[in-house]
Amino acid sequence: MSRVGVKPVPVPAGVKVEVAGQVFKAKGAKGEQTFDVHPRVKVAVDGEKIVVSREGNERLDRSLHGLTRALLQNLLIGVSAGFTRKLEIVGVGYGAEVKGKNIKLTVGFAKPVELSIPEGVTVVTPDATHIAISGMDKQKVGQFAAEIRAVRKPEPYKGTGIKYEGEKIRRKAGKAFGSAG
C-alpha cells in the first residue's frame, strides 16, 4: 500500500473542489487550477476531504497513487495560500531589480542578466539583495527560483552568488601558505 496515497487530502476552508470525469478543478482565494487525473487513478470528493484510489496493484498504479495525491494537495495549498520561494544575493556590487515582466540580475558578469518572469509567477525585490518569488503553482515557483539561482550559483570559497534563503553553503579553506623547505 502507498503510505502517501492512502491518506485523504483535507480541503482548506474557502476552497471549492469538483471532479468531472478525469478532470479535477479547485477554486480558491488565489485563483483557479485544473488537474488532469491519470485514467488508472480515481479521485472522489468525500465531504471536506479528497480520497485518491487506484485500479490495480501494478508498479505504475502504485507510483501514480502517491504522486496524484501529492499533486492534488499542492494544488489545494496553491489556490488557498500559494507558494513562496526566497533567494539571497551575496557579493559586492551584486543585486537584482524587477523591470516590468523581466528580472535584471547584476551578478559579476560583463553585462546584467535578464530573465523573463513566467505567467502566473510574481517576483518582488524588497531590496537589491533579496528576491521573493510567489505563485499558486508550486512547480512554476520552484523552477523559476532554480533558474535564477543557476545564473550564479554560490561558490565555496567566498560564498558569493545567489542562494536560497537559509541555505547553508559548505565553505572550503583557501590555499594554505606555509614555509617552503
Side-chain angles (χ1 to χ4, degrees):
M1 263 329 233
S2 169
R3 294 181 195 171
V4 174
V6 296
K7 294 179 184 175
V9 181
V11 178
V15 176
K16 294 180 183 178
V17 295
E18 66 178 73
V19 179
Q22 291 299 104
V23 177
F24 178 84
K25 289 183 183 179
K27 187 173 185 177
K30 296 282 184 179
E32 184 177 339
Q33 275 191 310
T34 60
F35 177 72
D36 294 328
V37 181
H38 195 277
R40 299 187 65 90
V41 178
K42 302 289 180 240
V43 176
V45 179
D46 182 28
E48 289 299 312
K49 56 188 171 184
I50 298 165
V51 180
V52 180
S53 58
R54 61 180 186 236
E55 280 186 4
N57 204 23
E58 295 177 22
R59 185 181 183 111
L60 176 65
D61 297 337
R62 292 192 310 261
S63 64
L64 288 171
H65 190 202
L67 173 71
T68 303
R69 189 240 180 239
L71 290 174
L72 290 178
Q73 182 180 16
N74 287 340
L75 187 138
L76 291 174
I77 293 170
V79 297
S80 63
F83 293 97
T84 302
R85 213 57 173 124
K86 294 184 179 180
L87 298 166
E88 292 178 29
I89 302 174
V90 179
V92 177
Y94 287 15
E97 65 176 315
V98 176
K99 286 191 169 185
K101 296 218 176 245
N102 295 328
I103 183 166
K104 183 174 146 186
L105 302 168
T106 308
V107 285
F109 297 122
K111 295 180 180 177
V113 178
E114 283 203 26
L115 298 173
S116 62
I117 300 169
E119 198 68 37
V121 175
T122 307
V123 179
V124 178
T125 51
D127 57 65
T129 59
H130 290 86
I131 304 169
I133 304 162
S134 59
M136 67 177 174
D137 190 346
K138 186 176 186 178
Q139 195 276 330
K140 280 185 180 178
V141 170
Q143 180 66 38
F144 191 60
E147 288 173 11
I148 290 176
R149 185 180 182 272
V151 170
R152 175 73 88 176
K153 289 183 182 174
E155 56 97 14
Y157 296 101
K158 293 182 182 176
T160 58
I162 303 172
K163 65 177 187 164
Y164 295 115
E165 192 173 82
E167 180 183 9
K168 300 284 187 225
I169 305 301
R170 181 185 255 177
R171 302 290 292 268
K172 291 183 178 179
K175 288 185 177 181
F177 292 99
S179 59

